[in-house]
C-alpha cells in the first residue's frame, strides 16, 4: 500500500484575505492591525488604514448631528474587551467617508465583534465582521409612509429578515465547506448521510430562530388589543403585517423542505369544501382592505378527498395571498370548487396584473415572481406557488396557471382525486373540556419578551402564572411548587426541554402535570421526540392566544 501524500499546511493569511465576509482585526486599543479584501471593498478604503485607530479612519459624519456610529461601535468593542465575549450589534447606520473633501456616503451595517484570547484568557485582538445591508434598507424605505409605531415595527421585522438571510448564507457556506471536507475523508454513503443531517439541522434552526421573534410580536399585538378595547388603526396594520411575515416564514421553511424532499403529510378523509370555507374565512378580512372583493362559490354537499387538511388549506391560502398581492385596489377574486369525472377542481381567479402566457410554468419555480422586484412590486419571497405545487403533487394532483396576458388577470386551477369509498373516515375531534377558572401555569421560555407577554395575557384570563428563562430554574420551580400546566420551550440555553420533561415525569407527582411543548422546532421528528420525552402536546410558534386558551381547555389527555 502506497503512503498517502501529505497536504501542505493552509496559508491562513490567504484564507483570511479570501473570506467573502468583510473582516477587520483590531488591537485591544482599537488600532487596526489587519484587514481583508472584502472589508476594503465594502468601505472603499485601502491597506493604508492598517496601523491607524479605527475611529480616526471611520469618524462620525460631522454634518449629521444624530450620527452615533462611533459611540455604538466603541461601546460594543469595549464590551468585548471587558467581558471576553462576542457582541452582536443591532442593524447600524454608520456613514463612511468618500475621500472627497470631507464628504460621507450613507451606509447601513450588520456587525459582529468577536474576541481572540490567549492562554491566560486575555483579549489580544478583536475580529470585527460586518455585512453591508444598505441596498436592502434603501429598498424597504421606498414608498413607506406610515405612522411612527408601524415604521418602528417594520424596521424590527426588516432586521429579522436581514439577520435571517445573513445567517442562512453563513450556514450554507459552512455546510458547503463541511461537504467538501467529508468527501475527502469519508465514504460516499457516510457523506450523503451527514449532508442530510446538516439539512435537517438547518431547517430546525431556521424555524426556531425565526418563530421566536414572530411569536413575541404576535403576543404583544394581542396584548395591545386588550389594552385598547376601543381599537386602534395600528393594530389592524400590525395584524396584517405579522400575518404576512408568518406566511412568508412558513413558505420559506416549507420551500426548503420541498426542495430537500422533506415536506410531510398527515392524510385522512377530508371535506375539501370545509377546508376552502375555513381558509377563505381566515383571509377574508385582508381582502376588505383597499376595497378588494373575495367571491366564494362552494357545492351544497361535502367534497371528500384523502389528504392533509392543514396542507390543503395552505395551498388555497398561498393562492389567495398571490391574488391579493397582484390585484389592484377595488379588484375582485373568485374561488370556485366543483367535482368532475372522479376528481375535484379548485379554481382561484383574479382580475389583477396577469402575466405573459409563456410564463405560466415558470411561476411555480423557487423564488419566481409574476413581476420583477421594484418599488411598486408587492412583497414576497417567490415561494408560495412552489410550495403549493409540491403539496398538490404529493396528493396525487396537479396545479396549473393561466393568463391571457399582462393586465388581463390570472387563474390557478388545482385538480385532486376524490377520496375512494374505502378511505378511512376523518378522526373525530375530541370535545374540549372547560378549563378551571384559575390554573397555576409555569412558562419556561428564554425569550424574555415572549415570556413576559404570555404571562401578562394569561394573567388577564385569571390564571396564576410564573415565568422562568432557563432549564435549571424550571426544574427548581417544579420541585417546590405544583403547577397545573407547564408551557416549555425546547431550545433553552442550558437544559433542553426534553430533559426537563423526562425529569419532571420521573418525580412522584409528575403524572399530574400537563406538559406542553411550545417551540419553533415543529417538524415531524420534533413531535415524536417531545411525545417520547413525556409532553402531552407540541405546538409551533407563533401561538395565538385563542389557540393557547383552547389548548388549556383541552383537559389532561395525551395529544
Amino acid at each position: 500500500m502506497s503512503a498517502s501524500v501529505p497536504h501542505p499546511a493552509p496559508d491562513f493569511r490567504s484564507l483570511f484575505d479570501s473570506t467573502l465576509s468583510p473582516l477587520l482585526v483590531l488591537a485591544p486599543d482599537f488600532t487596526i492591525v489587519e484587514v481583508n479584501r472584502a472589508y476594503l471593498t465594502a468601505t472603499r478604503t485601502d491597506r493604508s488604514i492598517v496601523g491607524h485607530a479605527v475611529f480616526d479612519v471611520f469618524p462620525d459624519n460631522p454634518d449629521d448631528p444624530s450620527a452615533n456610529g462611533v459611540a455604538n461601535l466603541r461601546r460594543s468593542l469595549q464590551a468585548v474587551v471587558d467581558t471576553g465575549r462576542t457582541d452582536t450589534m443591532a442593524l447600524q447606520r454608520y456613514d463612511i467617508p468618500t475621500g472627497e473633501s470631507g464628504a460621507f456616503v450613507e451606509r447601513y451595517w450588520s456587525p459582529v465583534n468577536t474576541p481572540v484570547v490567549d492562554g491566560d484568557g486575555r483579549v489580544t485582538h478583536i475580529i470585527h465582521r460586518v455585512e453591508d445591508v444598505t441596498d436592502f434598507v434603501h429598498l424597504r424605505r421606498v414608498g413607506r409612509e406610515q405612522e411612527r409605531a408601524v415604521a418602528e415595527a417594520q424596521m424590527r421585522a426588516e432586521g429579522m429578515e436581514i439577520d435571517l438571510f445573513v445567517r442562512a448564507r453563513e450556514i450554507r457556506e459552512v455546510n458547503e465547506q463541511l461537504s467538501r471536507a467529508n468527501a475527502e475523508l469519508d465514504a460516499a454513503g457516510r457523506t450523503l448521510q451527514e449532508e442530510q443531517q446538516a439539512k435537517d439541522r438547518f431547517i430546525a434552526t431556521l424555524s426556531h430562530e425565526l418563530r421566536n421573534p414572530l411569536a413575541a410580536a404576535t403576543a404583544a399585538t394581542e396584548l395591545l388589543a386588550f389594552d385598547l378595547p376601543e381599537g386602534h388603526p395600528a393594530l389592524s396594520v400590525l395584524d396584517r403585517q405579522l400575518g404576512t411575515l408568518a406566511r412568508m416564514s412558513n413558505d420559506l421553511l416549507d420551500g426548503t423542505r420541498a426542495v430537500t424532499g422533506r415536506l410531510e403529510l398527515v392524510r385522512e378523509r377530508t371535506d375539501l369544501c370545509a377546508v376552502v370555507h375555513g381558509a377563505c374565512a381566515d383571509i377574508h378580512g385582508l381582502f376588505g382592505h383597499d376595497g378588494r372583493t373575495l367571491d366564494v362559490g362552494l357545492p351544497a354537499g361535502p367534497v371528500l378527498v384523502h389528504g392533509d387538511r392543514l396542507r390543503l388549506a395552505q395551498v388555497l391560502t398561498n393562492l389567495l395571498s398571490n391574488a391579493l398581492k397582484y390585484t389592484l385596489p377595488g379588484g375582485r377574486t373568485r374561488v370556485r370548487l366543483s367535482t368532475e369525472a372522479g376528481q375535484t377542481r379548485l379554481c382561484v381567479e383574479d382580475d389583477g396584473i396577469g402575466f405573459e402566457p409563456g410564463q405560466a410554468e415558470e411561476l411555480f419555480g423557487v423564488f419566481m415572481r409574476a413581476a420583477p422586484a421594484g418599488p411598486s412590486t408587492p412583497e414576497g419571497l417567490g415561494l408560495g406557488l412552489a410550495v403549493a405545487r409540491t403539496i398538490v403533487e404529493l396528493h396525487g394532483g396537479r396545479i396549473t396557471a393561466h393568463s391571457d396576458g399582462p393586465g388581463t388577470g390570472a387563474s390557478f386551477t388545482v385538480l385532486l382525486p376524490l377520496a375512494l369509498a374505502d378511505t378511512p373516515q376523518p378522526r373525530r375531534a375530541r370535545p374540549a373540556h372547560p378549563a378551571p377558572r384559575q390554573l397555576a401555569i409555569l412558562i419556561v421560555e428564554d425569550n424574555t419578551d415572549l415570556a413576559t407577554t404570555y404571562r401578562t395575557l394569561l394573567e388577564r384570563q385569571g390564571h396564576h402564572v410564573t415565568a422562568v428563562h432557563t432549564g435549571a430554574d424550571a426544574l427548581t420551580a417544579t420541585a417546590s411548587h405544583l403547577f397545573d400546566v407547564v408551557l416549555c420551550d425546547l431550545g433553552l440555553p442550558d437544559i433542553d426541554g426534553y430533559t426537563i420533561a423526562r425529569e419532571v415525569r420521573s418525580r412522584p407527582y409528575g403524572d399530574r402535570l400537563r406538559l406542553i411543548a411550545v417551540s419553533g422546532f415543529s417538524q415531524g421528528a420534533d413531535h415524536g421526540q417531545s411525545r417520547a420525552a413525556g409532553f402531552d402536546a407540541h405546538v409551533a410558534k407563533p401561538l395565538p392566544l385563542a389557540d393557547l386558551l383552547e389548548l388549556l381547555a383541552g383537559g389532561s389527555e395525551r395529544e
Side-chain angles (χ1 to χ4, degrees), residues 125-416:
H125 296 87
I126 305 169
I127 299 175
H128 175 63
R129 178 177 64 80
V130 295
E131 294 291 342
D132 186 346
V133 294
T134 305
D135 291 342
F136 186 92
V137 173
H138 285 174
L139 179 63
R140 289 296 186 188
R141 182 184 296 167
V142 174
R144 300 300 181 99
E145 294 181 357
Q146 298 182 346
E147 295 292 334
R148 183 186 300 268
V150 177
E152 292 175 353
Q154 288 177 329
M155 181 61 74
R156 288 193 294 272
E158 291 164 5
M160 287 187 288
E161 289 185 80
I162 293 170
D163 288 341
L164 167 66
F165 284 103
V166 170
R167 303 302 183 255
R169 186 178 68 181
E170 292 174 352
I171 293 174
R172 183 172 63 251
E173 292 170 354
V174 171
N175 284 342
E176 291 171 354
Q177 295 170 6
L178 288 175
S179 176
R180 289 192 295 269
N182 289 336
E184 297 172 357
L185 298 174
D186 302 323
R190 181 178 177 183
T191 301
L192 291 174
Q193 181 181 7
E194 290 180 353
E195 287 177 346
Q196 186 60 63
Q197 291 172 349
K199 291 174 184 176
D200 290 343
R201 288 194 300 270
F202 167 75
I203 294 173
T205 302
L206 181 64
S207 171
H208 186 266
E209 293 303 318
L210 183 59
R211 289 182 176 180
N212 261 338
L214 273 177
T218 300
T221 302
E222 292 182 326
L223 183 57
L224 284 175
F226 274 113
D227 291 338
L228 300 172
E230 72 281 1
H232 191 283
L235 287 176
S236 60
V237 174
L238 286 171
D239 188 56
R240 287 196 303 272
Q241 296 303 325
L242 288 171
T244 299
L245 279 175
R247 286 192 296 275
M248 289 171 65
S249 65
N250 287 336
D251 283 347
L252 180 59
L253 296 171
D254 288 336
T256 306
R257 294 170 185 163
V259 170
T260 58
R262 304 286 289 178
L263 203 62
E264 301 171 341
L265 297 182
V266 180
R267 301 180 67 165
E268 60 184 2
R269 192 176 179 90
T270 301
D271 181 6
L272 190 58
C273 192
V275 172
V276 173
H277 180 272
C280 290
D282 289 342
I283 203 170
H284 191 275
L286 297 180
F287 277 85
H289 191 60
D290 290 336
R292 295 177 177 86
T293 303
L294 178 60
D295 180 19
V296 182
L298 301 176
V303 176
L304 300 179
V305 297
H306 185 223
D308 187 317
R309 177 178 58 84
L310 295 179
R311 290 296 186 186
L312 291 174
Q314 184 180 4
V315 170
L316 180 56
T317 299
N318 286 3
L319 294 180
L320 291 174
S321 297
N322 188 71
L324 192 63
K325 292 176 188 175
Y326 296 109
T327 302
L328 299 177
R332 186 181 188 87
T333 299
R334 299 173 68 246
V335 178
R336 292 293 181 267
L337 179 66
S338 60
T339 59
E340 56 181 42
Q343 62 183 359
T344 179
R345 174 187 292 268
L346 174 64
C347 188
V348 178
E349 301 176 347
D350 64 65
D351 54 6
I353 66 171
F355 53 85
E356 294 289 349
Q359 191 184 2
E361 190 62 23
E362 299 176 1
L363 296 179
F364 295 98
V366 177
F367 300 118
M368 293 300 296
R369 301 164 61 94
S376 61
T377 304
E379 297 177 346
L381 299 174
L383 285 169
L385 293 181
V387 172
R389 165 163 282 187
T390 299
I391 295 173
V392 170
E393 290 179 348
L394 287 175
H395 283 83
R398 62 189 180 94
I399 181 172
T400 57
H402 173 77
S403 176
D404 291 330
T408 63
S411 65
F412 292 84
T413 301
V414 176
L415 298 176
L416 293 171

Side-chain angles (χ1 to χ4, degrees), residues 21-214:
S21 292
L23 298 173
L24 186 70
V25 180
L26 303 171
D29 63 356
F30 311 148
T31 299
I32 300 172
V33 298
E34 191 53 85
V35 62
N36 70 350
R37 286 198 301 267
Y39 189 91
L40 296 177
T41 300
T43 59
R44 301 182 180 181
T45 54
D46 55 42
R47 291 194 59 82
S48 64
I49 68 174
V50 174
H52 294 274
V54 66
F55 299 116
D56 292 340
V57 177
F58 301 108
D60 276 333
N61 184 353
D63 295 329
D64 182 1
S66 65
N68 58 3
V70 168
N72 291 340
L73 179 56
R74 186 187 300 276
R75 186 183 304 112
S76 175
L77 294 175
Q78 191 61 52
V80 173
V81 172
D82 294 342
T83 66
R85 296 179 180 175
T86 297
D87 187 75
T88 300
M89 299 178 64
L91 179 67
Q92 177 68 50
R93 176 176 176 177
Y94 200 144
D95 298 347
I96 60 174
T98 63
E100 301 176 359
S101 63
F104 281 72
V105 61
E106 180 180 304
R107 283 290 182 270
Y108 290 85
W109 311 88
S110 178
V112 178
N113 298 310
T114 304
V116 177
V117 298
D118 60 15
D120 296 327
R122 292 184 300 236
V123 176
T124 63
H125 296 87
I126 305 169
I127 299 175
H128 175 63
R129 178 177 64 80
V130 295
E131 294 291 342
D132 186 346
V133 294
T134 305
D135 291 342
F136 186 92
V137 173
H138 285 174
L139 179 63
R140 289 296 186 188
R141 182 184 296 167
V142 174
R144 300 300 181 99
E145 294 181 357
Q146 298 182 346
E147 295 292 334
R148 183 186 300 268
V150 177
E152 292 175 353
Q154 288 177 329
M155 181 61 74
R156 288 193 294 272
E158 291 164 5
M160 287 187 288
E161 289 185 80
I162 293 170
D163 288 341
L164 167 66
F165 284 103
V166 170
R167 303 302 183 255
R169 186 178 68 181
E170 292 174 352
I171 293 174
R172 183 172 63 251
E173 292 170 354
V174 171
N175 284 342
E176 291 171 354
Q177 295 170 6
L178 288 175
S179 176
R180 289 192 295 269
N182 289 336
E184 297 172 357
L185 298 174
D186 302 323
R190 181 178 177 183
T191 301
L192 291 174
Q193 181 181 7
E194 290 180 353
E195 287 177 346
Q196 186 60 63
Q197 291 172 349
K199 291 174 184 176
D200 290 343
R201 288 194 300 270
F202 167 75
I203 294 173
T205 302
L206 181 64
S207 171
H208 186 266
E209 293 303 318
L210 183 59
R211 289 182 176 180
N212 261 338
L214 273 177

Side-chain angles (χ1 to χ4, degrees), residues 444 468-477 492 494-495 500:
V444 186
V468 296
H469 309 300
T470 67
D473 289 342
L475 293 177
T476 300
L492 296 167
D494 54 349
I495 304 173
I500 295 172

